[in-house]
């Protein structure tokens, strides 16, 4: 008998589940009023010091009965088991159709008893609103408050009111951005979030793995807008491939050749294009090169209404409001000859990885997590447990069919779809990108097959199409993640035809994403079938297979031409299947390594961010800022006075620009420059005198403290915005250093530390400058308006 470690780990939670189920009859006997009174009873116990764990069994039995009375659905044993796992801070792997929405009501109710700060995080706003409305009825009936934290129709919500609810259904990006904006406010009362107590993340692999490496960034306008984008774009478009520029084997990178650099120098009339003198021009040429030759229209972005909109590469959704940074977005706009938008700089940033690690308790649900169990444990300290299905899974998962070329694979795919279409069996055809979904759609239309295409649509429309994908005769072409969160239910007569047929047209970079697709079929014991048709021309193979595969492809093409291989015949050797399998494993490992590297880099930013945000909160809440400002003065003037090569002119400029506009440099005695102590004493005396001038208007401690607080917050925000922007660009720089055998993480940490030291000095200087040089305008009722220099 084989030992199942998953079953062993489930024993503890299974015992708790059995206790909950034994209370079923007892709770059925309770009146509505008695059941509703349980919420007050539980809250009183918690107020007396009881733990959530101690009331879990009774609370789960309560909400289970409430689910039945309000929704007409009572969680099955496997759903209760999943709910128990989620409360204890783990990932519950539950197959598609196993009822994760109902499962979530139990841990959300239990943790909602602790007051605000509890979130169910979904992958899009449609699901957040749908689930909040559906399950919110139960929470409200039980005396808890709940709502959706994202608007369905872009209507502005009162986020203070939203986050005062016990339970909030929201998206990862909405929650993360609200955290960032909370740390840009000037008063504690302007903060929206009440705390980060418990997060239950639906489709946890999508949120915490697939989307986690892309940081949430609040951007502002850059200091200067460049005018080089259009001219460098025209220049780059005139260059010749393999002569002026070359590509990497995977076509992801492009660079100028030596001949190309020389050609550009002659064309532009400059010497040494790669020298610091021409660095800005060269940077724009590199951006134009990347935009024109590695970033593809309808694959990486679309052009709509004269705007360049980024695309989610896997599901084809347009990412409205998002831009690529460091000028690359403007280079893409120049390429497409649309109006250039303003360049942006990062003002606040956090990755989802570090944001969700801030919660006191974190858990998640998904249909596919076991294959990434090690990463969940390493990064988030989240164990993964597989919950048994309510009914046995009878889906048939066919082995991959491998073809030599893309054309042969497409022909075979269409034949397979036709065969199912003739007997009215529903088919879900998955493609790896927006452009491929369009290609398959055109080929299906050419063959007279009516179908739905699911890409870059609104989430609500996706849900309707996916919900209909199990009806007899329905053919649905979809990108890999489209419609996730909505079950495909089989229509009348479909079970007899074998259930839903899922066809994958290529392997994705992660086996987990392929497993998500398979999980679309065979929900809750239904019949179903899945199969992947792949080729040696697929993206994952081209980008990740070893060099010999390219030579093998050439031999196969020659064999076809010589009549030694029949067109459309699958490659049946074990080696052929291994090529695709190993290419996917390499891509998956590379992605995991990238995420881990991102975590390590962002840990540096996280430490700095927490220091800044904690200090910011302290400044906003502290009554008397005299001690803080004195420390700032002491630190800055001591550091300034110990500068090397400080001249009379430099000292004069510093005083005029930071301490006193009316200062006359004739006042400086050259002897002052003889020692740091004398310089420090001199500038401190000037600063003190100027502060005394400000106190004439600020005639009481409250007003003085008010200016100190505004000055510190303004200086801190300006310094931190500069630091975030620096570190964002630094990530790009140090990543390229890896090519020069440098450790990018070490390089990043070293540079980030140096940058933070400089940031502190600029913060000290600007605090003093704002205190001393701000214009103070006295208004009605002796109110004071501050105009910063």
């Amino acid at each position: 008998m084989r030992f199942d470690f998953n079953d062993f780990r489930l024993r503890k939670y299974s015992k708790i589940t059995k206790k909950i189920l034994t209370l079923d009859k007892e709770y059925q006997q309770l009146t509505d009023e008695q059941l509703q009174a349980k919420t007050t009873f539980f809250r009183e116990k918690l107020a007396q010091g009881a733990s959530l764990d101690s009331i879990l069994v009774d609370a789960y039995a309560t909400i289970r009965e409430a689910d039945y009375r309000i929704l007409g659905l009572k969680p099955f044993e496997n759903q209760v088991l999943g709910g128990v796992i989620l409360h204890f801070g783990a990932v519950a792997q539950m197959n598609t159709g196993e009822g994760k929405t109902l499962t979530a009501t139990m841990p959300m109710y239990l943790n909602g008893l602790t007051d605000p700060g509890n979130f169910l995080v979904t992958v899009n706003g449609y699901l957040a609103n749908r689930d909040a409305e559906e399950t919110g009825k139960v929470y409200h009936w039980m005396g808890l408050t709940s709502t959706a934290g994202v608007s369905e129709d872009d209507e502005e919500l009162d986020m203070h009111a939203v986050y005062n609810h016990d339970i909030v259904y929201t998206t990862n990006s909405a929650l993360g951005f609200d955290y960032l904006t909370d740390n840009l406010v000037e008063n504690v009362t302007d903060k929206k979030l009440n705390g980060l107590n418990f997060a239950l993340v639906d489709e946890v692999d999508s949120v915490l793995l697939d989307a986690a490496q892309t940081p949430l960034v609040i951007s502002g306008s850059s200091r200067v807008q460049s005018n080089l984008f259009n001219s460098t774009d025209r220049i780059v478009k005139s260059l010749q491939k393999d002569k002026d520029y070359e590509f990497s084997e995977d076509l992801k990178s492009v660079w100028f050749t030596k001949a190309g650099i020389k050609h550009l120098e002659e064309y532009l009339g400059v010497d040494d294009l790669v020298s610091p003198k021409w660095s800005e021009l060269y940077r724009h040429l590199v951006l134009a090169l990347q935009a024109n030759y590695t970033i593809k229209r309808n694959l990486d972005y679309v052009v709509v209404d004269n705007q360049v909109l980024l695309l989610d590469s896997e599901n084809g959704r347009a990412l409205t409001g998002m831009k690529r940074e460091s000028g690359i977005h403007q280079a893409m706009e120049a390429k497409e000859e649309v109006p250039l938008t303003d360049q942006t700089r990062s003002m606040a940033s956090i990755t989802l990885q570090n944001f969700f690690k801030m919660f006191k308790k974190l858990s998640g649900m998904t249909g596919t997590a076991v294959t990434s169990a090690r990463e969940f444990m390493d990064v988030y300290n989240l164990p993964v447990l597989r919950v048994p299905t309510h009914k046995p899974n009878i889906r048939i998962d066919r082995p991959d069919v491998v073809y030599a070329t893309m054309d042969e694979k497409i022909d075979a795919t269409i034949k397979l779809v036709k065969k199912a279409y003739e007997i009215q069996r529903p088919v879900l055809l998955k493609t790896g990108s927006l452009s491929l979904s369009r290609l398959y759609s055109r080929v299906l239309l050419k063959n007279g097959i009516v179908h739905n295409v699911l890409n870059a649509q609104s989430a609500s429309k996706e849900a309707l199409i996916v919900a209909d994908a199990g009806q007899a005769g329905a053919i649905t072409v979809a990108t890999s993640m489209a419609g996730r969160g909505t079950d495909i239910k089989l229509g009348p007569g479909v079970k007899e035809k074998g259930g839903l047929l899922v066809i994958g047209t290529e392997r994705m970079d992660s086996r987990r994403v392929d497993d998500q697709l398979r999980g679309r079929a065979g929900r809750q014991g239904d019949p179903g079938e899945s199969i992947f048709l792949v080729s040696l021309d697929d993206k994952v193979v081209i980008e990740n297979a070893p060099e010999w595969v390219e030579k093998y492809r050439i031999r196969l093409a020659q064999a076809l031409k010589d009549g030694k291989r029949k067109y459309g015949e699958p490659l049946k050797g074990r080696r052929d299947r291994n090529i695709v399998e190993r290419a996917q494993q390499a891509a998956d490992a590379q992605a995991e390594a990238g995420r881990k590297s991102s975590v390590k880099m962002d840990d540096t930013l996280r430490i700095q961010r927490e220091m800044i945000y904690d200090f910011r909160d302290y400044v906003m809440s502290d009554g008397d800022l005299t001690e803080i400002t004195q420390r700032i003065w002491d630190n800055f003037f001591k550091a300034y006075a110990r500068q090397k090569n400080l001249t009379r002119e430099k000292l004069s400029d510093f005083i005029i620009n930071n301490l006193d506009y009316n200062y006359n440099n004739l006042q400086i005695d050259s002897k002052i420059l003889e020692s740091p102590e004398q310089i420090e004493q001199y500038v401190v005396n000037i600063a003190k005198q100027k502060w005394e001038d400000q106190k004439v208007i600020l005639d009481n401690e409250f007003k003085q403290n008010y200016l100190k607080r505004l000055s510190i917050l303004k200086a801190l925000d300006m310094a931190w915005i500069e630091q975030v922007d620096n570190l964002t660009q630094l990530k790009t720089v140090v990543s390229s250093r890896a090519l020069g055998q440098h450790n990018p993480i070490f390089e990043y940490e070293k540079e980030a530390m140096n940058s933070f030291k400089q940031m502190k000095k600029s913060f000290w200087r600007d605090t003093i400058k704002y205190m001393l040089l701000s214009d103070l305008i006295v208004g009605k009722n002796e109110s004071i308006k501050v105009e910063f220099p």
Side-chain angles (χ1 to χ4, degrees):
M1 183 178 174
R2 189 179 174 187
F3 175 73
D4 191 320
F5 187 58
N6 187 76
D7 287 347
F8 176 75
R9 292 194 299 168
L10 283 177
R11 286 180 185 175
K12 169 188 170 184
Y13 305 120
S14 296
K15 288 178 183 176
I16 298 171
T17 301
K18 292 282 192 291
K19 291 179 183 177
I20 295 164
L21 296 175
T22 57
L23 293 176
D24 189 33
K25 288 184 180 178
E26 178 185 334
Y27 278 70
Q28 285 178 27
Q29 307 302 318
L30 297 178
T31 65
D32 286 353
E33 290 76 16
Q34 288 173 322
L35 196 66
Q36 290 168 317
K38 288 284 185 180
T39 296
T40 305
F41 171 72
F42 293 142
R43 281 187 153 161
E44 287 174 353
K45 289 198 75 172
L46 291 173
Q48 292 164 9
S51 67
L52 287 177
D53 294 359
S54 68
I55 63 169
L56 183 147
V57 172
D58 286 327
Y60 273 37
T62 299
I63 197 66
R64 187 167 176 259
E65 180 62 26
D67 282 337
Y68 180 70
R69 295 190 190 184
I70 302 304
L71 303 176
L73 301 166
K74 184 172 286 190
F76 296 122
E77 181 176 350
N78 68 309
Q79 291 172 314
V80 177
L81 176 59
V84 173
I85 290 168
L86 293 171
H87 168 71
F88 285 101
V91 172
Q93 175 167 307
M94 300 178 69
N95 286 7
T96 301
E98 290 296 304
K100 293 191 283 288
T101 304
L102 195 62
T103 297
T105 60
M106 292 173 280
M108 292 313 302
Y109 171 73
L110 177 61
N111 287 274
L113 294 167
T114 62
D115 297 326
N118 307 290
F119 304 91
L120 193 144
V121 181
T122 67
V123 289
N124 61 56
Y126 165 76
L127 292 176
N129 279 277
R130 184 199 71 180
D131 294 350
E133 184 178 349
E134 187 177 308
T135 58
K137 299 169 188 173
V138 183
Y139 305 133
H140 298 158
W141 190 77
M142 286 301 299
L144 296 187
T145 59
S146 72
T147 190
V150 284
S151 173
E152 257 186 302
D153 49 12
D154 295 328
E155 182 185 344
E156 195 167 332
L157 301 176
D158 180 352
M159 298 312 296
H160 284 94
V162 165
Y163 289 130
N164 271 325
H165 286 74
D166 299 317
I167 299 165
V168 177
Y169 282 70
T170 187
T171 64
N172 47 280
S173 55
L175 196 56
F177 280 127
D178 282 341
Y179 167 76
L180 290 177
T181 54
D182 266 3
N183 287 286
L184 292 172
V185 299
E186 291 185 1
N187 296 297
V188 176
T189 53
D190 292 332
K191 285 195 166 195
K192 300 179 287 290
L193 284 164
N194 291 308
L196 303 174
N197 180 41
F198 173 56
L200 198 173
V201 184
D202 192 15
E203 308 298 359
V204 66
D205 54 334
S206 174
V207 175
L208 296 190
L209 299 183
D210 299 332
Q213 203 173 341
T214 303
L216 301 173
V217 178
I218 293 179
S219 297
S221 297
S222 65
R223 288 154 292 196
V224 181
Q225 177 76 353
S226 170
N227 59 1
L228 290 172
F229 290 110
N230 288 317
S231 53
T232 52
D233 180 74
R234 287 193 294 271
I235 294 168
V236 161
K237 281 175 175 169
S238 69
L239 301 179
Q240 295 180 41
K241 183 184 175 186
D242 295 330
K243 181 181 178 184
D244 296 313
Y245 62 89
E246 292 177 346
F247 288 99
S248 60
E249 287 185 8
D250 60 8
L251 305 180
K252 288 181 178 178
S253 301
V254 63
W255 57 85
F256 293 114
T257 62
K258 287 184 179 178
I261 295 288
K262 191 173 182 182
H263 174 206
L264 287 169
E265 287 174 342
E266 291 172 358
Y267 180 84
L268 295 166
V270 302
D271 294 324
D272 196 6
L273 180 59
V274 296
S275 67
K277 179 182 178 182
W278 300 108
S279 61
E280 192 65 12
L281 174 59
Y282 183 68
R283 184 176 77 87
H284 278 77
L285 287 165
V286 170
L287 291 174
L289 191 71
Q290 291 173 341
N292 276 279
Y293 301 117
T294 65
I295 302 171
K296 306 294 184 185
R297 183 168 177 167
N298 294 330
L299 182 64
D300 300 304
Y301 68 94
V302 289
V303 179
V304 180
D305 297 331
N306 260 356
Q307 292 183 71
V308 170
L309 299 179
L310 300 180
L311 288 177
D312 186 309
S313 59
E314 291 190 343
N315 61 38
R317 286 197 193 99
L319 303 172
T320 53
M322 294 184 69
K323 290 183 181 180
R324 295 187 66 169
E325 291 189 308
S326 303
I328 192 67
H329 202 90
Q330 286 69 31
M332 292 158 62
E333 290 168 334
K335 166 191 174 183
E336 296 297 339
E337 298 180 359
V338 302
L340 300 190
T341 56
D342 290 340
Q343 284 178 260
T344 58
R345 61 196 299 233
S346 301
M347 294 176 65
S349 172
I350 192 169
T351 60
L352 292 176
Q353 290 159 321
N354 268 318
F355 175 64
F356 280 105
K357 283 160 74 175
M358 294 170 65
F359 277 85
K360 293 176 186 173
K361 183 163 63 179
L362 177 65
S363 63
M365 310 180 286
T366 184
T368 47
V370 170
T371 52
S372 299
R374 187 189 62 195
E375 188 175 355
F376 274 116
M377 197 67 196
D378 289 349
V379 177
Y380 300 102
N381 198 29
L382 283 175
V384 175
L385 291 160
R386 189 176 62 252
V387 179
T389 55
H390 179 55
K391 294 179 181 177
N393 183 2
I394 59 171
R395 183 185 66 239
I396 301 168
D397 294 327
R398 304 285 183 193
D400 292 2
V401 183
V402 185
Y403 294 90
T405 66
M406 177 80 76
D407 289 345
E408 291 173 273
K409 179 186 72 173
I410 291 173
D411 288 346
T413 304
I414 299 304
K415 285 177 185 175
L416 193 58
V417 174
K418 262 186 175 178
K419 191 176 175 183
Y421 190 60
E422 286 168 1
I423 63 169
Q424 292 290 285
R425 184 184 187 185
V427 175
L428 178 63
L429 183 73
K430 186 273 293 183
T431 65
S433 68
L434 173 64
S435 55
L436 281 172
S437 71
R438 288 173 171 168
L439 172 63
Y440 277 98
S441 177
R442 285 197 296 270
V443 178
L444 287 171
L445 285 174
K446 192 176 178 181
N447 283 270
I449 299 174
V450 180
H451 61 280
N452 281 318
V453 180
L454 191 53
N455 57 35
Q457 304 290 328
S458 69
S460 56
K461 191 172 182 181
E462 283 182 14
L464 292 172
I465 293 174
V466 170
D468 199 45
Q471 301 304 307
I475 308 293
T476 308
V477 179
T479 48
S480 60
M481 297 289 288
R484 195 170 179 188
T486 306
D487 290 343
I488 298 177
K489 297 177 182 177
L490 301 184
V494 171
K495 287 184 180 180
E496 292 73 20
K497 295 179 173 69
L500 178 68
L501 172 62
V502 169
I503 303 174
T505 62
E506 63 182 295
R507 285 283 189 178
M508 300 303 293
D509 287 348
S510 170
R511 179 64 178 265
R512 180 169 39 79
V513 178
D514 293 339
D515 290 342
Q516 290 160 8
L517 178 71
R518 290 193 193 276
R520 288 297 192 181
R523 65 180 291 277
Q524 292 192 349
D526 285 342
E529 186 178 352
S530 72
I531 186 169
F532 279 80
L533 278 65
V534 299
S535 82
L536 302 186
D537 285 342
D538 288 350
K539 176 174 171 281
V540 70
V541 178
I542 289 173
E543 293 182 355
N544 300 283
E547 289 182 24
W548 65 262
V549 175
E550 176 60 28
K551 296 173 184 174
Y552 181 50
R553 266 196 295 263
I554 294 169
R555 289 203 304 272
L556 288 171
Q558 189 61 45
L560 182 65
K561 194 180 288 184
D562 296 343
K564 295 178 182 177
R565 185 175 72 81
K566 187 179 176 183
Y567 179 85
E569 197 170 80
L571 304 175
K572 295 181 178 176
R574 180 181 294 177
R575 183 177 73 159
D576 300 304
R577 286 195 299 273
N578 284 346
I579 288 172
V580 181
E581 192 78 27
R582 288 174 181 169
Q584 185 183 55
Q585 288 170 359
D588 209 357
Q590 187 177 350
E592 183 179 340
R595 289 192 293 267
K596 287 185 175 178
S597 175
S598 178
V599 167
K600 289 176 181 176
M601 283 192 188
D602 202 51
D603 275 343
T604 303
L605 180 58
R606 174 184 57 81
I607 293 166
Q608 295 184 10
R609 180 175 49 241
E610 287 176 359
M611 286 173 62
I612 296 296
Y613 287 177
D614 286 348
F615 179 66
R616 205 175 186 285
D617 286 345
Y618 178 74
V619 170
M620 285 193 293
S621 60
D622 188 51
D624 186 2
L625 297 172
T626 302
E627 187 181 338
I628 291 176
T629 49
Q630 187 59 54
R631 282 210 307 270
I632 291 170
W633 282 44
D634 292 344
N635 290 337
F636 178 70
F637 287 129
K638 193 176 291 297
Y640 177 79
R642 279 150 184 77
Q643 284 185 85
K644 292 181 180 178
N645 304 318
L646 196 59
T647 64
R648 179 172 171 161
E649 288 72 24
K650 288 179 181 178
L651 180 58
S652 176
D653 283 347
F654 165 74
I655 294 170
I656 292 170
N657 289 316
N658 296 282
L659 307 182
D660 188 350
Y661 288 142
N662 298 317
Y663 179 78
N664 186 335
N665 67 353
L666 296 175
Q667 297 170 241
I668 298 179
D669 185 342
S670 297
K671 292 181 180 179
I672 292 169
L673 300 172
E674 291 177 1
S675 75
E677 289 77 19
Q678 289 189 66
I679 296 170
E680 181 181 352
Q681 190 59 51
Y682 186 74
V683 290
V684 166
N685 288 338
I686 292 172
K688 282 181 177 178
Q689 183 55 54
K690 182 60 180 173
W691 180 240
E692 290 301 319
D693 294 343
Q694 294 288 65
K695 284 164 70 174
V696 173
I697 299 173
L698 305 169
D699 53 10
N700 59 52
E701 287 188 11
F702 175 81
K703 291 178 182 178
Q704 293 164 20
N705 219 49
Y706 174 69
L707 179 58
K708 289 174 184 177
R709 180 173 289 106
L710 284 185
S711 299
I712 291 172
L713 292 178
K714 169 83 171 173
L716 186 66
D717 288 346
M718 294 301 292
W720 180 240
I721 287 169
E722 190 72 29
Q723 175 72 347
V724 170
D725 192 45
N726 287 343
L727 295 189
T728 302
Q729 296 185 46
L730 181 61
K731 266 190 183 180
T732 307
V733 173
V734 298
S735 296
S736 66
R737 289 186 192 175
L739 300 174
Q741 305 302 309
H742 291 274
N743 181 333
I745 295 168
F746 173 76
E747 294 283 321
Y748 180 82
E749 289 175 348
K750 182 178 74 173
E751 298 289 353
M753 184 76 72
N754 292 334
S755 181
F756 191 72
K757 288 177 182 176
Q758 293 303 314
M759 187 211 80
K760 282 199 296 185
K761 290 178 182 176
S762 66
F763 160 63
W764 295 336
R765 181 199 66 221
D766 287 347
T767 298
I768 296 166
K769 178 178 178 179
Y770 296 147
M771 284 177 62
L772 302 183
L773 298 185
S774 291
D775 286 334
L776 307 176
I777 303 166
V778 180
K780 295 178 181 178
N781 303 320
E782 295 190 355
S783 63
I784 294 177
K785 179 183 177 184
V786 179
E787 290 188 354
F788 291 108

